[in-house]
Amino acid sequence: MKQQLQNIELMAKAELEKISDLAELENLRIKILGKKGELTAILKQMSALTAEERPVIGQLANKVRQDIEADIADKAAQLKAALAQKKLQAEKIDVTLPGKKPSVGKLHPINAVLNEVKEIFLGMGFDIAEGPEVEYDYYNFEALNLPPDHPARDTQDTFYVTDNVLLRTQTSGVQVHVMENKKPPIRIIAPGRVYRSDAVDATHSPIFHQIEALVVDKGITMADLVGTLDMLMKRLYGDDCKIRLRPHHFPFTEPSAEVDVLCFNCGGKGCSMCKGEGYVELLGAGMVHPKVLKNCGIDPEVYSGFAFGLGLERIVMRKYGINDMRLLYENDMRFLEQF
Ligand code: PHE
């Protein structure tokens, strides 16, 4: 029996050497020290021993058990330490790696310039008005002195929802909404999206943006119109900026003008950008037609006003020297990130 006990101890030591994980170790412990284990099996034979042998073997058996338990505990500690080490290695972070750069959003150039224009007008005491993009024929055309068979309608074809409801072709209809709801003095701008049946090219898009301006009060003259436009353009493009008015026709203003701005590219000498003109067309303007005032319940004998409508895209393109309008709608980050 003594021999058997010593064999178990030797066997245990040999097995322990080979073990490489905690589960195997637990199996070994059960195999030797468990209720049905090898050591237990030997101890069961103790009853066959003589009274003298029993304490000797008993003592030895205890010692063997304690030794094996201690060895197993050592091994367990070793394995746990190795495991922790391995985990630490795997979780190691490299603090010298470059960080993740957060991408910061910013305003689209159209919105950035729109905000700038709004600020300029707010500074001149204007309010900001809004009107519907899906509009009645009456507001988009008829009240603006464009009856159903007026030839000028042809240049502003659009999508008709019904015979008298359409996608607005201009922000000028907001003039009518404002004048119907508010009596002079009126000083508003109305920025917004407009729609026309135009083919897409470098300077045309079926959806674009206009900013309408309307001032109605006693004694408003063409000089107020020119002064306001001059101020706007100087604020937008710098003090060297010059504007030029050319006679034109709009059914809802009289007199009417097209307003050009000195070509930022050549400074007036004439280049490909301004097609040799020295000026580029920016907007339509004029004195509000007496009929339009009357349509809105404002007495043209007492009040007068001016209005203009500028294409926001044109302003953005002039400001940044963009030569193709499509770039503003394509959402190509390589383009947008430049602003
Ligand atoms: N609504 C006109 C256009 O789209 C511009 C305009 C506005 C002209 C106001 C005169 C007065 O062409």
Side-chain angles (χ1 to χ4, degrees), residues 6-270:
Q6 279 163 353
N7 281 349
I8 284 183
E9 192 165 358
L10 284 175
M11 181 276 286
K13 281 200 196 300
E15 293 275 311
L16 273 174
E17 287 287 310
K18 287 186 261 169
I19 276 173
S20 62
D21 77 46
L22 286 165
E24 283 176 44
L25 185 65
E26 178 62 6
N27 287 341
L28 182 68
R29 191 189 66 78
I30 293 167
K31 186 173 150 225
I32 302 173
L33 304 178
K35 269 191 191 139
K36 294 178 182 158
E38 290 168 19
L39 188 65
T40 324
I42 294 172
L43 295 180
K44 281 187 183 144
Q45 300 163 21
M46 294 268 283
S47 52
L49 297 175
T50 63
E52 296 88 59
E53 282 172 322
R54 227 176 273 165
V56 182
I57 296 295
Q59 229 175 17
L60 180 65
N62 270 339
K63 181 158 184 311
V64 166
R65 169 181 280 277
Q66 278 164 10
D67 285 354
I68 294 175
E69 276 173 351
D71 287 349
I72 288 178
D74 279 357
K75 185 76 186 182
Q78 263 176 39
L79 289 174
K80 275 183 192 152
L83 208 67
Q85 190 61 31
K86 214 167 133 188
K87 218 173 144 190
L88 275 178
Q89 294 266 288
E91 285 174 2
K92 192 166 75 176
I93 47 167
D94 182 352
V95 292
T96 66
L97 278 176
K100 283 191 192 120
K101 194 175 159 200
S103 55
V104 181
K106 57 181 160 186
L107 288 176
H108 189 281
I110 289 184
N111 280 322
V113 173
L114 174 58
N115 285 347
E116 210 179 311
V117 172
K118 280 183 182 170
E119 280 303 318
I120 295 170
F121 278 105
L122 287 172
M124 292 194 277
F126 283 64
D127 289 328
I128 294 172
E130 261 182 69
E133 287 175 31
V134 181
E135 183 61 288
Y136 287 108
D137 183 285
Y138 176 77
Y139 289 94
N140 195 76
F141 290 129
E142 207 151 347
L144 292 169
N145 212 13
L146 281 135
D149 45 6
H150 195 289
R153 283 191 178 214
D154 290 352
T155 61
Q156 298 191 10
D157 193 16
T158 182
F159 187 86
Y160 282 78
V161 180
T162 67
D163 276 352
N164 68 344
V165 176
L166 45 80
L167 296 185
R168 67 177 178 190
T169 61
Q170 49 187 355
T171 44
S172 298
V174 188
Q175 290 185 32
V176 180
H177 285 290
V178 170
M179 286 190 278
E180 277 181 352
N181 290 308
K182 191 177 176 326
K183 294 303 140 206
I186 292 170
R187 238 183 275 138
I188 58 104
I189 58 162
R193 207 165 277 161
V194 298
Y195 304 81
R196 288 188 196 180
S197 175
D198 279 340
V200 176
D201 66 21
T203 53
H204 290 89
S205 159
I207 304 175
F208 61 103
H209 301 79
Q210 285 188 334
I211 303 173
E212 192 80 11
L214 173 71
V215 170
V216 183
D217 202 351
K218 286 179 181 152
I220 299 292
T221 70
M222 202 89 180
D224 299 300
L225 168 64
V226 176
T228 306
L229 284 173
D230 193 52
M231 167 75 120
L232 170 67
M233 293 308 160
K234 287 201 157 78
R235 292 284 302 276
L236 272 176
Y237 296 117
D239 284 343
D240 304 337
C241 183
K242 277 205 194 101
I243 56 167
R244 172 177 91 173
L245 273 72
R246 275 181 294 113
H248 196 73
H249 172 261
F250 294 107
F252 39 92
T253 46
E254 181 58 35
S256 304
E258 272 200 321
V259 181
D260 302 339
V261 62
L262 196 69
C263 178
F264 71 95
N265 196 37
C266 61
K269 286 191 208 88

